[in-house]
Amino acid sequence: MKHLLLTATLGLALLAPAAAIAGPLENACNRSDRAQSNRALCRCIDSVARNTLTRSEQRRAARFFSEPDEAQRVRMSPTRRDNEFWARYRAFGAAAERSCS
């Protein structure tokens, strides 16, 4: 019974649409109205994010697509937490620019 359930679960995961397994940055990028965005670029950006940011940092960065003022607030924030996140976000941005251009 356990094997049947595991097989069924794996089968559904393999048949699920790509958007269901896309990360938060890929989803935000695909939904954005930026002229330069396309599925391949968004997928690449998400791939870099998975290697450089934690899952919660990815969700936080994804909000920048719909709330650009939030990025400015974080960048200007005096808190150590925001400053550390911004340093990791900038490193992610540089890595994405190298890998995805």
Side-chain angles (χ1 to χ4, degrees):
M1 182 66 177
K2 284 184 182 180
H3 293 294
L4 180 62
L5 184 57
L6 179 61
T7 303
T9 303
L10 287 174
L12 285 174
L14 291 173
L15 295 175
I21 57 174
L25 279 163
E26 183 177 352
N27 287 331
C29 178
N30 283 326
R31 284 192 308 264
S32 76
D33 59 355
R34 289 169 174 78
Q36 315 86 302
S37 70
N38 60 59
R39 290 199 181 278
L41 176 62
C42 294
R43 194 174 307 117
C44 180
I45 290 169
D46 191 68
S47 176
V48 173
R50 289 176 194 220
N51 292 320
T52 58
L53 300 172
T54 66
R55 185 75 172 166
S56 65
E57 289 171 338
Q58 291 172 47
R59 287 190 302 270
R60 188 175 188 191
R63 284 195 300 269
F64 295 165
F65 281 88
S66 60
E67 303 170 29
D69 291 342
E70 177 66 10
Q72 179 67 8
R73 189 195 66 74
V74 172
R75 187 176 77 81
M76 301 302 292
S77 173
T79 69
R80 185 182 68 133
R81 178 179 176 264
D82 285 344
N83 290 331
E84 290 172 352
F85 167 73
W86 192 255
R88 287 188 299 275
Y89 178 75
R90 286 186 49 121
F92 150 71
E97 190 172 349
R98 284 189 307 273
S99 298
C100 303
S101 52

